[in-house]
Amino acid sequence: MSIGQATVEDAGEVLRLRRGAEDWLAGRDIEQWPPGGLELVEVRKQIEAGQWYVARAGDAACGAFRLLWSDEAVWRAENTFAAYVHGLVTDRGHAGTGLGSRLLAWVAEHGRRAGAGLLRLDCVAHNARLRRYYADLGFREVGELVYGRGWVNVLLEKPI
């Protein structure tokens, strides 16, 4: 597997991975990413800003994530220089293979080399399975954020 910064040509693959995750979540009544909530034009803008990374197994995209170095919109007063992960998604054909944890390990190492001391992310509070997954990877819950739509997200971090 290789991980690299996404190019604009990867936008369709990123969106394909995202749509697969949206459908999977919706099929399990998990309100996290509304189907169709992310548009191709937004993915392209984020890629142009250098935010998306793509994991490949051979030539095929098998995972993707956004990496930010600041996230005031979510972390507000606690915002600091850290590796912030958003939109982490893996192809459903790779479920159960440890791909998600490998992607997060890559981000941790990348963040450490950049001088960040923390790896941070957030997830919806009602997704107990995902919260357990992150706890098993060494993340601890450090706060909550209520979005305008009434959703509560849990803020998680771990030292890197």
Side-chain angles (χ1 to χ4, degrees):
M1 177 187 70
S2 65
I3 300 172
Q5 199 152 29
T7 65
V8 174
E9 291 77 26
D10 294 320
E13 281 297 291
V14 169
L15 201 56
R16 177 190 64 79
L17 292 167
R18 172 65 181 249
R19 293 288 186 262
E22 291 169 357
D23 293 345
W24 186 85
L25 290 164
R28 281 145 189 81
D29 293 323
I30 300 170
E31 292 184 46
Q32 180 172 318
W33 293 334
L38 182 63
E39 296 182 15
L40 187 60
V41 66
E42 185 65 21
V43 173
R44 284 186 178 138
K45 285 180 188 175
Q46 293 167 345
I47 287 173
E48 289 170 352
Q51 297 176 359
W52 278 99
Y53 289 77
V54 175
R56 288 181 170 69
D59 290 334
C62 60
F65 56 88
R66 285 177 63 212
L67 173 57
L68 308 175
W69 300 106
S70 176
D71 191 0
E72 189 173 352
V74 173
W75 288 80
R76 301 184 178 174
E78 298 301 317
N79 184 50
T80 187
F81 181 74
Y84 295 88
V85 174
H86 285 282
L88 176 68
V89 62
T90 61
D91 186 280
R92 295 306 311 155
H94 291 265
T97 66
L99 177 58
S101 63
R102 289 195 311 270
L103 295 178
L104 289 170
W106 184 94
V107 173
E109 180 57 29
H110 192 70
R112 189 176 13 262
R113 281 188 268 123
L118 294 170
L119 174 54
R120 288 179 157 177
L121 50 82
D122 64 291
C123 71
V124 291
H126 64 268
N127 191 338
R129 182 177 174 190
L130 187 56
R131 290 170 73 175
R132 264 192 322 277
Y133 173 78
Y134 289 134
D136 289 346
L137 292 177
F139 286 87
R140 66 183 184 94
E141 297 182 3
V142 295
E144 290 185 342
L145 174 67
V146 179
Y147 281 93
R149 59 187 177 229
W151 289 4
V152 177
N153 273 24
V154 175
L155 307 178
L156 301 108
E157 68 180 23
K158 76 181 216 177
I160 55 175

